Amino acid sequence: MTFWQLVLHLLNFALPALAMAMLMPLAGRTVMGVGRISLRRRMGVHALSGLLVLLGGLLLHGQDGKMSTYIALVLVAATTEWLLQRGWAAK
């Protein structure tokens, strides 16, 4: 495997988490309003949590791209956004 192929493999592995990291704070802002935490910081938290979920799925299943890993990614991203927006607090 060449270096370029390795970079492409790593990028394709991380792309679902990075896409969710960009979209979830924007969706949370639309649904729940502007939060106390900046958009950039929320994107960073989502990227980190999403990459950890994908890495956990890789370690658990032995391969990436399993549907259960992507379901866990969506659930973790939604829960993270709810926590960052303090969804339990009355508006």
Side-chain angles (χ1 to χ4, degrees), residues 12-45:
N12 284 326
F13 173 74
L15 194 59
L18 298 178
M20 290 292 289
M22 290 180 62
L23 295 176
M24 283 305 292
L26 297 174
R29 176 180 274 182
T30 302
V31 173
M32 300 176 74
V34 178
R36 296 181 181 172
I37 301 174
S38 71
L39 190 66
R40 181 176 283 179
R41 181 165 291 181
R42 288 189 349 231
M43 285 182 181
V45 170

Side-chain angles (χ1 to χ4, degrees), residues 10 14 25 28-29 36 46 49 52 65 71 74 77 79 82 84 87 91:
L10 291 175
R29 176 180 274 182
R36 296 181 181 172
H46 278 289
S49 64
L52 288 175
I71 292 169
V74 170
T79 305
W82 183 77
L84 292 173
K91 299 277 179 182

